[in-house]
Amino acid sequence: MSDTLAQQQAAIDILKKNDKGLYTIPASKLYPHQWLWDSCFIAIGQRHYDVERAKMEILSLLRGQWSNGMIPHMIFSRGIEYRSDHNVWRSWISPFAPDDVITSGITQPPLLAEAIVRVGEKLKLPERRSWYRQIFPALLAYHEWLYRERDPHEEGLALQIHPWETGLDNTPPWMSELHEHLLPWWVRVLQKTKLDVVAGWFRRDTTIVPAAERYSNIDAMALFDAQRRLRRKEYNIDKILDHSLFTIEDLAFNAIFIRANDHLIAIAKTLRAELSEALLKRMDLTKKALDELWDPYTEMYYPRDFVNHKLLKEPSVAALLPLYAGCIDKERAALLVKSLENAHMFGPPHPVPSVPLNSPWFDPKRYWQGPTWLNMNWLIADGLIRYGYKDHAEALVESSLELVEKGEFNEYYNPLTGEPLGAPNFSWTAAVALDWLNR
Ligand code: 2M8
């Protein structure tokens, strides 16, 4: 078997090992449930060996869709951790939650349309049409929900209410805000007295992955406390906004949203379905509003606070996703590419780090605060191609494939040494590698 074929088989084996029949878990033990954007990346990989299975991966996400249109970021599996995990969320307290599955109460980057289109690429036009027809109402309801609930002032950008919604859990701009404004008094006391170690005794994640590769105990408590506040408001957006809980217009989320809107328009066109003028207008506004996240002084994109519109100037890999969004001009794109070439920023030996090397937050092993994630590389490589940087994209794909060469499809990698980190046999790493190997 050639090296490429062997690598493809290794990636397929991981996806099959994590396959629970209807959906695929990100990794055994650490992530025993279904996650929204994980399943989207997974379907993008599965389409290369079983397009019907890829469709099912996407359709299985719709089991969790709330009656208001939200697609939740998690659907709980009935396993050993079922009770304790779903009790954290208690989705049944919302009148919108489905009756037959238990879900989380927040969403995740809206990659759904991307996955639908990528699966559609594998189908002949008549089948593609029926695939789109099957999924269109749910996808439309999801995007409409994003505009209705998450852009209440009709300013263009969608707001997020928890760092988990960005998918980049402990990313610096969000964590610095959380620490400054929303750390509960009891967490501050634990931090001061250094008693946060006690919290570590109750963590499941750090029994599976070394503590230095996960978020700190303080961050873990802050994230769970922020989640508890949302639960107390029954995930009701009006109550959440009234109490000015944590609200940020995230960069990664909105870049992905912009691209997803374009896909939704293309899907509607294939179906000869009309999208309302009002929706099209709002989609257009989102593209324009992305520009407000640009800081000319540091020449970088950032997320911003929903309430006071202050940019949260802690750089992260999200800064490169406007390439994937595809709505920025060539000059801006060139500046982003420059930061990718810079060895002190996004260009270490094993790119792309989740935080640039010259940031005080950079830690090569710690989760979303330094390591290289291949799902991010997939989005960035796609963006580079869109802007005509084919060689840069190819170099990024090659360096990403080098990381998995030895068959270690981990959750993330040390950007300085290439060391595999986090959960082993990680589904989206296998899925995007498989997609590249079929390029
Ligand atoms: C991580 O997030 C979950 C919470 O949603 C966690 O920390 O337990 C993130 O990397 C997220 O992007 C990902 O979807 C999820 C499952 O892989 O894990």
Side-chain angles (χ1 to χ4, degrees):
M1 211 191 289
S2 79
D3 279 0
T4 311
L5 277 180
Q7 256 191 319
Q8 286 191 33
Q9 195 50 52
I12 294 172
D13 289 348
I14 287 172
L15 291 173
K16 290 195 169 163
K17 195 170 148 256
N18 291 337
D19 190 341
K20 296 287 157 197
L22 204 59
Y23 61 91
T24 309
I25 57 169
S28 66
K29 296 197 189 104
L30 190 57
Y31 303 112
H33 307 291
Q34 183 177 22
W35 267 263
L36 170 52
W37 76 329
D38 294 68
S39 277
C40 295
F41 284 117
I42 289 164
I44 290 170
Q46 285 171 331
R47 70 185 173 134
H48 294 293
Y49 64 94
D50 187 346
V51 73
E52 288 305 316
R53 181 63 192 79
K55 280 181 178 173
M56 205 204 315
E57 188 73 26
I58 294 172
L59 290 171
S60 69
L61 280 171
L62 306 185
R63 297 175 301 147
Q65 187 163 32
W66 287 25
S67 61
N68 59 4
M70 181 182 81
I71 303 201
H73 100 297
M74 288 175 77
I75 303 176
F76 294 100
S77 308
R78 292 187 174 271
I80 316 163
E81 292 88 11
Y82 182 61
R83 249 194 106 70
S84 60
D85 288 358
H86 79 47
N87 257 329
V88 172
W89 286 98
R90 296 179 213 155
S91 55
W92 56 85
I93 59 177
S94 166
F96 302 117
D99 294 328
D100 40 359
V101 286
I102 297 176
T103 74
S104 68
I106 57 172
T107 192
Q108 238 185 357
L111 202 70
L112 193 65
E114 178 74 85
I116 292 168
V117 166
R118 297 284 173 156
V119 170
E121 281 172 4
K122 289 281 176 187
L123 303 168
K124 297 218 173 73
L125 190 59
E127 285 94 55
R128 191 184 313 147
R129 271 214 183 100
S130 66
W131 163 235
Y132 284 177
R133 204 168 296 122
Q134 192 177 1
I135 202 100
F136 180 68
L139 181 67
L140 179 62
Y142 180 43
H143 282 237
E144 285 176 339
W145 170 81
L146 280 165
Y147 277 113
R148 197 172 57 246
E149 289 219 342
R150 298 311 187 85
D151 181 21
H153 301 161
E154 305 200 10
E155 292 172 322
L157 298 173
L159 68 91
Q160 286 70 55
I161 54 179
H162 194 286
W164 288 333
E165 289 204 309
T166 72
L168 320 183
D169 293 11
N170 63 340
T171 188
W174 282 76
M175 291 322 286
S176 63
E177 279 296 285
L178 201 57
H179 281 266
E180 255 174 59
H181 303 297
L182 219 75
L183 215 53
W185 66 266
W186 55 273
V187 177
R188 285 187 201 279
V189 171
L190 289 178
Q191 190 175 26
K192 271 223 166 93
T193 52
K194 303 229 177 334
L195 280 174
D196 53 300
V197 282
V198 178
W201 303 342
F202 300 96
R203 289 178 64 177
R204 188 172 77 218
D205 60 341
T206 46
T207 63
I208 301 166
V209 167
E213 296 173 22
R214 296 286 296 176
Y215 28 64
S216 67
N217 289 334
I218 294 293
D219 286 357
M221 284 186 283
L223 289 166
F224 277 99
D225 187 72
Q227 185 271 332
R228 197 176 48 91
R229 287 170 201 246
L230 298 175
R231 191 179 69 210
R232 269 205 252 134
K233 301 279 168 284
E234 293 150 356
Y235 311 112
N236 177 311
I237 196 68
D238 296 325
K239 289 189 195 165
I240 291 167
L241 296 180
D242 274 357
H243 288 78
S244 64
L245 291 178
F246 203 41
T247 43
I248 288 177
E249 291 162 331
D250 185 63
L251 177 55
F253 193 107
N254 278 285
I256 292 171
F257 187 30
I258 288 170
R259 183 67 175 273
N261 281 334
D262 280 349
H263 285 314
L264 175 56
I265 293 172
I267 291 170
K269 209 165 160 196
T270 309
L271 290 177
R272 298 196 190 98
E274 292 257 320
L275 294 178
S276 73
E277 271 308 308
L279 182 63
L280 290 169
K281 249 188 168 160
R282 292 186 75 170
M283 289 175 170
D284 196 43
L285 188 61
T286 308
K287 284 188 177 168
K288 293 191 176 113
L290 190 71
D291 203 46
E292 294 164 29
L293 303 184
W294 176 255
D295 174 49
Y297 305 105
T298 52
E299 296 188 329
M300 179 88 76
Y301 285 97
Y302 299 99
R304 85 177 174 191
D305 186 301
F306 165 70
V307 178
N308 62 19
H309 282 193
K310 202 182 84 194
L311 290 182
L312 308 175
K313 292 197 194 172
E314 298 293 351
S316 83
V317 64
L320 299 168
L321 292 197
L323 291 168
Y324 170 75
C327 61
I328 59 173
D329 62 34
K330 287 213 164 94
E331 289 68 37
R332 283 281 168 79
L335 288 171
L336 297 187
V337 172
K338 245 168 101 187
S339 73
L340 199 54
E341 291 167 345
N342 184 337
H344 304 293
M345 293 182 78
F346 291 116
H350 304 277
V352 177
S354 40
V355 165
L357 268 61
N358 58 1
S359 156
W361 288 80
F362 177 75
D363 177 342
K365 288 188 170 203
R366 199 177 287 283
Y367 211 30
W368 287 99
Q369 294 183 353
T372 289
W373 290 73
L374 295 203
N375 67 325
M376 286 289 122
N377 287 4
W378 189 91
L379 298 169
I380 295 166
D382 182 280
L384 288 167
I385 292 172
R386 296 193 87 186
Y387 280 90
Y389 293 92
K390 294 223 168 68
D391 293 346
H392 287 72
E394 192 50 30
L396 182 56
V397 170
E398 287 294 331
S399 72
S400 304
L401 286 174
E402 262 168 38
L403 290 170
V404 298
E405 218 168 47
K406 293 192 199 102
E408 289 167 311
F409 294 85
N410 273 57
E411 192 180 3
Y412 40 93
Y413 298 84
N414 183 323
L416 306 176
T417 64
E419 179 197 2
L421 303 167
N425 301 326
F426 196 71
S427 294
W428 79 33
T429 304
V432 299
L434 191 57
D435 193 52
W436 285 324
L437 291 165
N438 282 281
R439 71 196 182 283

